[in-house]
Amino acid sequence: MSEPGVDVVPATARGRRRREAVLDAAEQLFFEHGFHGTSVDDIGAAAGISGPGLYRHFPSKDALLMAVLDRIWGQLRPAIDVAAEQEPDLALQTLLDAQLELALGQPSALVLLVRELRHLPEDYRRRAARNHRRYLDAWVDALRRTAPHLHADDARTTVMAVHGLIDSVAINPEARRLPQRRDWLRGLADAVLTRAAD
């Protein structure tokens, strides 16, 4: 997956920790108050640094939102690469693990990807769309290797249904209280994939 490379990752461990703290703060504030409802000073205060100090890590608030969203692609890219080399059943499980980890570990990032992407430059939105297509393509490839008879359109619809199921539960505050939520979601996703393959 391509990444826009809108900022430079610090060379020191301390700098990288500070950068991640800024990204965590920005992700939460963008989620709670929206991109336009959050100021650079708000993010700096939440991260424990001055607002202007953010510009040592990110050239703009736009770049900060891009970096928050880029963490999604950075998290998913290894699963795509690994799945491409695995047997189909194992590849689907690798991709499912990645989706569950993202949805349950960073539900706010998923919301931002849908809600705030429109505020970013068109070239970034195009790259984000390409990344998303590549991720979906990896799922479709794994599913069709499991079930060669499955038409590509049906496979893609199935994959989108699985993602919608996982993501909608992950971002629902009521569903967060479900015991064994991860196992329950995995079981439902497996059932959908198995039904499609049959």
Side-chain angles (χ1 to χ4, degrees):
M1 286 182 167
S2 60
E3 293 185 37
V6 294
D7 59 293
V8 177
V9 177
T12 66
R14 182 175 182 274
R16 288 190 294 272
R17 285 194 301 273
R18 177 57 58 87
R19 178 181 182 276
E20 287 301 308
V22 169
L23 289 174
D24 288 341
E27 180 179 316
Q28 191 59 38
L29 288 171
F30 289 153
F31 174 66
E32 292 175 357
H33 305 293
F35 179 70
H36 290 304
T38 301
S39 71
V40 169
D41 287 337
D42 293 334
I43 297 168
I49 61 177
S50 68
L54 289 180
Y55 294 114
R56 289 196 296 271
H57 299 278
F58 304 96
S60 66
K61 195 169 78 166
D62 280 4
L64 185 49
L65 177 57
M66 289 184 225
V68 167
L69 299 181
D70 283 347
R71 291 202 294 187
I72 295 176
W73 311 123
Q75 183 172 334
L76 296 176
R77 186 174 56 244
I80 293 173
D81 294 341
V82 169
E85 304 298 325
Q86 292 178 316
E87 293 298 317
D89 287 342
L90 188 54
L92 278 175
Q93 293 307 308
T94 294
L95 293 166
L96 181 54
D97 283 338
Q99 186 68 22
L100 287 167
E101 187 64 30
L102 174 65
L104 298 179
Q106 292 178 261
S108 56
L110 287 176
V111 172
L112 294 179
L113 187 59
V114 172
R115 190 180 72 194
E116 306 293 353
L117 187 61
R118 61 193 171 92
H119 297 303
L120 293 175
E122 184 178 348
D123 64 330
Y124 184 88
R125 295 199 305 270
R126 285 197 301 265
R127 282 179 280 192
R130 283 197 300 269
N131 284 341
H132 187 235
R133 281 195 302 272
R134 183 177 174 199
Y135 182 53
L136 288 178
D137 287 346
W139 275 81
V140 170
D141 174 70
L143 182 55
R144 293 193 73 203
R145 286 192 288 131
T146 301
H149 64 277
L150 195 60
H151 189 277
D153 289 344
D154 293 332
R156 187 167 292 270
T157 300
T158 300
V159 168
M160 292 175 69
V162 168
H163 289 188
L165 171 68
I166 292 171
D167 297 350
S168 62
V169 172
I171 65 175
N172 185 324
E174 294 293 323
R176 290 177 195 170
R177 294 196 290 269
L178 290 171
Q180 305 297 321
R181 184 168 49 129
R182 185 186 183 99
D183 292 342
W184 180 67
L185 276 173
R186 173 181 284 283
L188 289 177
D190 279 333
V192 172
L193 293 168
T194 299
R195 178 65 179 269
D198 290 343

